[in-house]
Amino acid sequence: MGTPTVTFIAGNWKMHTDRDEAKSLATSLGEQLQSEGSSPADRSSRVEVGLFPPYPFLCDVGEIAERFGFRLGAQDMYFEPVGAFTGEVSGAMLASTGCRYVILGHSERRHVLGETDEIVARKVRAALASGLAPVICVGETIEQREAGNTEDVLRTQIESAVDGLSENDFEKVTVAYEPVWAIGTGHTATPDQASDAHAFLRTRLADRFGADAASACRILYGGSVKPDNAKTLLAQDEIQGALVGGASLQAASFADIVRAALAVHTS
Ligand code: 13P
């Protein structure tokens, strides 16, 4: 049974920081974690730390990430490999900057920028074709939850995003459950709400790829993860990491969330 063993703590910086701030945020995080004496290799065997800065700072942050044993990821990409698509960025471009991961289908892209399930699915396939590991975000709005439609929404989003993937492709996929009502609001899902959603998603993935592959897939929780709630959330069996927005913009609070993951991992 391929139970995921390395917790993933990912910082989605969204459209924040300028170049200097991005560099100092990454450096300060590295220094804070380093000062505790655990080497990057020791830490990464238990907790993988991913930084997802804005596109223009990927190369700068990537150099710093490499120094401290962090992974680099992008917040989005386009589904075409090359061509006349002004303003868009391809998977190959991201891979050439050192990105390992790319976030796809984030709720802000779905709800603010109008991305459909079909677009997300095309991006997932294009990311894998470029050698990137997709972090596929799914999650319901408060209206959908209150109407009792959470499971229908999650089913539609996840099944569409992984449609047509081979088992080999699926091994590279991370899923992030981010209830829209919890993002940037301070209203975190309860550990039970998150666990139920994760278990539901994992069952859908098991239907499609088999129980072993589904249990090896990391499902992250995102939505107002902070130092004071990280440990309880990460202690849930169904939660293999966190996708952190606001609290990833301060090195101290993001470092505390990484520490919480390390503590859960060793307890
Ligand atoms: P917050 O942690 O600010 O709620 O953002 C969550 C998120 O959207 C991460 O992708």
Side-chain angles (χ1 to χ4, degrees):
M1 196 80 164
T3 307
T5 50
V6 181
T7 308
F8 190 19
I9 304 297
N12 174 10
W13 296 359
K14 307 191 181 184
M15 201 172 73
H16 293 288
T17 72
D18 63 20
R19 187 177 177 189
D20 286 343
E21 287 164 352
K23 289 198 280 188
S24 67
L25 176 54
T27 305
S28 168
L29 177 70
E31 287 170 354
Q32 291 194 29
L33 291 172
Q34 203 171 42
S35 66
E36 280 151 45
S38 73
S39 70
D42 172 50
R43 188 192 59 233
S44 326
S45 67
R46 295 179 288 148
V47 176
E48 186 177 3
V49 176
L51 303 183
F52 293 73
Y55 289 139
F57 316 134
L58 281 168
C59 291
D60 285 327
V61 172
E63 280 176 23
I64 298 162
E66 195 167 343
R67 184 145 47 94
F68 291 108
F70 304 146
R71 302 277 192 223
L72 186 68
Q75 299 173 19
D76 185 35
M77 58 170 272
Y78 196 49
F79 50 72
E80 292 290 352
V82 66
F85 303 105
T86 301
E88 293 293 349
V89 172
S90 74
M93 291 174 185
L94 297 177
S96 76
T97 69
C99 282
R100 170 172 300 218
Y101 293 104
V102 59
I103 296 172
L104 297 174
H106 191 278
S107 85
E108 286 140 23
R109 302 229 41 103
R110 292 178 189 267
H111 297 288
V112 183
L113 294 142
E115 267 187 27
T116 60
D117 285 336
E118 192 207 328
I119 292 173
V120 176
R122 291 182 74 178
K123 290 184 173 187
V124 169
R125 293 193 292 270
L128 289 161
S130 310
L132 296 171
V135 179
I136 300 171
C137 300
V138 297
E140 80 287 358
T141 63
I142 192 63
E143 292 78 15
Q144 290 165 333
R145 174 165 281 268
E146 284 174 353
N149 293 334
T150 298
E151 292 193 344
D152 285 345
V153 171
L154 296 182
R155 179 189 290 108
T156 305
Q157 289 181 344
I158 196 64
E159 288 182 352
S160 159
V162 299
D163 189 36
L165 298 194
S166 67
E167 276 158 35
N168 224 3
D169 283 339
F170 177 63
E171 281 176 14
K172 300 173 189 99
V173 167
T174 300
V175 173
Y177 169 60
E178 297 207 307
V180 180
W181 47 271
I183 297 177
T185 59
H187 300 298
T188 318
T190 64
D192 282 350
Q193 285 173 323
S195 289
D196 288 350
H198 286 217
F200 178 80
L201 288 164
R202 203 179 300 283
T203 305
R204 302 285 71 74
L205 295 169
D207 290 345
R208 173 71 179 71
F209 297 102
D212 282 1
S215 67
C217 177
R218 287 189 295 197
I219 305 183
L220 318 182
Y221 168 77
S224 298
V225 176
K226 309 281 177 214
D228 61 1
N229 59 29
K231 208 167 166 186
T232 317
L233 287 161
L234 293 168
Q236 306 302 308
D237 283 347
E238 274 296 340
I239 301 180
Q240 285 86 38
L243 185 51
V244 185
S248 72
L249 294 172
Q250 303 290 334
S253 53
F254 194 60
D256 276 344
I257 294 171
V258 175
R259 287 185 196 103
L262 285 164
V264 168
H265 208 281
T266 45
S267 64

